[in-house]
Amino acid sequence: MTVPRLTLNDGRSLPAIGLGTYPMDDDEATVAVAEAIRIGYRLIDTAAKYGNEVGVGRGVAESGVPREEIQVASKVRGSDQGYDETLRAFEKTRADLGLEYLDLYLIHWPLPRLDRYVESWKALVRLREDGLVRSIGVSNFTPDHLDRVTAETGVTPAVNQIEMHPVFPQEALRGANAERGVLTQSYTPLGRGRLLDAPAVVEAAGFHGVTPAQVVLRWHHQLGVLPIPKSSDPARQRENFDIFRFNLREWEIERISALAGSRYGGDPDTHEEF
């Protein structure tokens, strides 16, 4: 299957779907990542906070696919924010993954009370300049956070990975990302499975002859968002990956976007995760 690619503001690109790995442990990640890559996934997402970077790296190595064909993303955790701290944290991440370079490195949370995310961003810029990271971005950043790091460094994040699903569609933040040339990635894209029985989703799945999960992931794609669904089950991985053979109708997208609900995770202005 040919997977579309999404262009970043640094001239590089990412495949239009990736594999999330939270909350897998090392052993589960090794098997799940290797199988996902064999299925066709070429973007694998992890984070220092997940505690599975060793397993993700093993999965990449055991997949049988050349390293240069796989894009690996990780994130610096809150307890490692700061310029020197981030550089040290990156070296540990790189060692745990067993990789010479990362394709994407993100700041996991802004932690505004700590007020170290700008210094962390400067470290990410340095890592990109040194060729140790191909692209750099952030996660859970608001427009104000994005504007501050850009203003203080002259470098705009390539990616902002945020919680997004049909009951929390993030229209305003997606628009702000787009205005700044920042690609939106979505974690928890299936809403923890809680919205797969919504009539708007079920009816669209029936019409197109696909599953509710495929409808929701296709909804992300047609909104220009890159989803990273987590699954360690090969059948589910294949199902999640197979979203490029059909198109939702515009009114189906609007109906799914209108589902009522709220976020499941933390508010970036107040959430603290170290």
Side-chain angles (χ1 to χ4, degrees):
M1 183 188 304
T2 300
V3 176
R5 297 189 68 85
L6 302 176
T7 302
L8 304 177
N9 60 22
D10 60 10
R12 298 184 180 275
S13 66
L14 294 171
I17 191 168
L19 179 77
T21 61
Y22 177 79
M24 301 178 192
D25 62 20
D26 281 326
D27 290 341
E28 185 180 12
T30 299
V31 176
V33 167
E35 182 60 30
I37 293 171
R38 295 184 191 111
I39 287 168
Y41 288 83
R42 291 296 180 268
L43 173 61
I44 308 298
D45 180 87
T46 184
K49 176 70 176 179
Y50 300 168
N52 63 16
E53 289 176 316
V54 170
V56 168
R58 289 174 183 162
V60 170
E62 293 177 11
S63 70
V65 174
R67 164 68 180 101
E68 60 270 17
E69 295 181 18
I70 304 167
Q71 291 176 273
V72 180
S74 193
K75 311 174 192 75
V76 60
R77 64 195 303 164
S79 56
D80 291 324
Q81 281 200 27
Y83 185 82
D84 292 334
E85 294 89 342
T86 294
L87 294 179
R88 287 194 293 269
F90 172 77
E91 288 303 325
K92 183 177 188 310
T93 280
R94 186 166 66 138
D96 286 347
L97 286 165
L99 302 176
E100 294 184 4
Y101 66 91
L102 262 65
D103 300 276
L104 180 63
Y105 198 42
L106 311 177
I107 299 173
H108 204 154
W109 285 90
L111 304 181
R113 184 186 63 82
L114 198 65
D115 196 23
R116 293 179 184 171
Y117 65 87
V118 174
E119 292 305 307
S120 291
W121 183 246
K122 290 177 181 178
L124 265 61
V125 173
R126 166 72 180 276
L127 290 168
R128 190 182 70 172
E129 290 173 346
D130 289 348
L132 297 173
V133 178
R134 300 296 190 250
S135 295
I136 54 176
V138 295
S139 182
N140 300 297
F141 271 41
T142 68
D144 287 345
H145 300 143
L146 292 172
D147 289 343
R148 185 178 173 198
V149 296
T150 301
E152 296 198 28
T153 65
V155 179
T156 302
V159 166
N160 189 10
Q161 185 183 117
I162 60 175
E163 178 185 350
M164 178 184 156
H165 38 77
V167 298
F168 192 58
Q170 293 269 39
E171 182 175 359
L173 184 50
R174 282 190 286 115
N177 287 342
E179 289 172 3
R180 292 158 177 76
V182 179
L183 175 68
T184 299
Q185 280 190 338
S186 54
Y187 68 84
T188 321
L190 296 173
R192 299 179 180 174
R194 298 176 185 175
L195 49 85
L196 299 183
D197 59 353
V201 174
V202 173
E203 291 168 18
F207 178 83
H208 294 284
V210 297
T211 67
Q214 287 172 317
V215 165
V216 173
L217 293 173
R218 181 69 195 187
W219 172 83
H220 286 267
H221 177 66
Q222 288 186 229
L223 290 176
V225 173
L226 194 168
I228 47 170
K230 174 264 176 183
S231 180
S232 58
D233 177 75
R236 186 64 56 82
Q237 288 179 348
R238 291 187 186 93
E239 175 187 324
N240 291 344
F241 189 69
D242 188 13
I243 62 168
F244 303 108
R245 303 179 191 272
F246 69 101
N247 282 293
L248 295 173
R249 295 165 290 181
E250 188 60 35
W251 64 268
E252 290 175 319
I253 295 174
E254 294 173 357
R255 190 177 178 213
I256 293 168
S257 299
L259 294 173
S262 62
R263 72 168 83 238
Y264 298 128
D267 181 339
D269 282 322
T270 58
H271 181 74
E272 298 194 349
E273 184 170 297
F274 299 96

